[in-house]
Amino acid sequence: MKPVVLAFVVFAGVLVGASRLTGEQAVRAEGLPPRYDTDGLCFRNANSTNGFAPEAVTSCVASQSNALNRLRRMWDALPPALADDCDERTRATGKQDYIALENCLKVQMSQNGAVPLVPLPAVPRMKKDEAAPQ
């Protein structure tokens, strides 16, 4: 690879990384769910060995849109650590899927009552020689 091309690729990678970081920070500041490429997800899912199924794209886009709308209504009430954890888990699958994000959040919220999946803030422990408050 020529040095000019290599320098351009490195520079482009830095720009993409920086814009992604500021974009995610802006989304968190605005109180909105993360941005996912649902069109790409739906078009990939609609392609099969039997060919392309346009009705599958329509159904997928509608389902993703409905999930996104439900997420928008609840997003501000979610603890940021929980929302970030589920976003990371969803992105780790390689699919940007609002239904998967919503399901992760539901599971985390239902299980956080008994055994938290997202670590809770540490509570200061008392030293042995301190008396318990009465």
Side-chain angles (χ1 to χ4, degrees), residues 12-32:
V14 169
L15 285 179
V16 169
S19 67
R20 181 176 174 223
L21 237 180
T22 55
E24 287 176 6
Q25 290 169 342
V27 169
R28 171 57 67 198
E30 293 172 10
L32 297 173

Side-chain angles (χ1 to χ4, degrees), residues 48-91:
S48 70
T49 55
N50 297 330
F52 182 75
E55 59 278 352
V57 174
T58 304
S59 173
C60 176
V61 168
S63 297
Q64 290 293 319
S65 178
N66 290 336
L68 176 59
N69 287 333
R70 288 188 299 271
L71 286 167
R72 282 181 180 150
R73 288 191 294 273
M74 68 196 291
W75 197 256
D76 285 335
L78 296 171
L82 181 108
D84 292 343
D85 180 61
C86 280
D87 179 37
E88 287 177 22
R89 289 172 188 257
T90 302
R91 289 180 190 274

